[in-house]
Amino acid sequence: MCVFCGIVAGEVPKHEVYSGERVLAFLDINPATRGHCLVVPKRHVERLGELSREEAAELLEAAGAIAEACRSQLGAKGVNFWINQGRVAGQVVPHLHLHVVPRYAEEEVKVEVRAERAAQQELEETAERLRKGLR
Ligand code: AMP
């Protein structure tokens, strides 16, 4: 089973931010910035083009709502949305995921994950604030 299927199934721990009928969002364990989320279809697909219309709509709606919560709850000034599709494009987990990366200032953020893991407490607090913003 892939790690994100494990997260969807509740077998791998996560800091959940959103759960809908077809889509789940949780914090990236190696955040590029505070509040970096991954938005995934609950069904295992690898590529964007494999999504149904309903899944694609919910994925994009969730990403937009999370970006709003990053603004209202975390003070983000902007957001990067990105998908790595295929190993050659940098996709490490072969379960489609949209990165939602809040930006706080004009400093450079490398389009790659941080080498070190975020602290559990920081992840928990950030997820709670984003959930609050989505209520
Ligand atoms: P990508 O390179 O686009 O495939 O990104 C995969 C992302 O998944 C990376 O940013 C990882 O930090 C993240 N990741 C891997 N395992 C987990 C996990 N168990 N929980 C949260 N994020 C994860």
Side-chain angles (χ1 to χ4, degrees):
M1 189 193 280
C2 96
V3 63
F4 290 174
C5 284
I7 285 178
V8 169
E11 290 166 11
V12 174
K14 63 181 171 292
H15 291 90
E16 184 176 307
V17 166
Y18 167 87
S19 180
E21 194 182 341
R22 301 176 174 87
V23 168
L24 180 73
F26 50 90
L27 291 182
D28 193 302
I29 208 168
N30 299 111
T33 64
R34 182 170 187 220
H36 178 173
C37 289
L38 301 174
V39 189
V40 309
K42 291 186 171 176
R43 184 171 69 91
H44 181 92
V45 302
E46 248 181 88
R47 300 181 304 279
L48 188 63
E50 295 176 87
L51 290 181
S52 70
R53 213 167 249 215
E54 291 76 18
E55 287 168 328
E58 191 180 329
L59 189 95
L60 210 55
E61 273 173 28
I66 290 165
E68 292 301 313
C70 288
R71 203 161 69 98
S72 63
Q73 297 296 314
L74 305 180
K77 303 280 189 288
V79 177
N80 291 112
F81 301 90
W82 91 76
I83 293 172
N84 297 325
Q85 178 167 299
R87 206 128 65 100
V88 292
Q91 184 176 14
V92 173
V93 178
H95 183 133
L96 175 74
H97 48 284
L98 172 61
H99 293 259
V100 177
V101 184
R103 302 293 298 271
Y104 298 95
E106 290 182 9
E107 88 274 280
E108 193 186 333
V109 169
K110 292 206 180 105
V111 184
E112 59 186 39
V113 294
R114 273 196 338 214
E116 74 277 13
R117 287 200 171 193
Q120 280 297 311
Q121 197 185 337
E122 185 196 322
L123 289 172
E124 190 40 60
E125 188 197 313
T126 303
E128 176 53 29
R129 285 174 75 166
L130 292 178
R131 286 193 293 266
K132 211 167 119 196
L134 288 167
R135 272 179 216 138

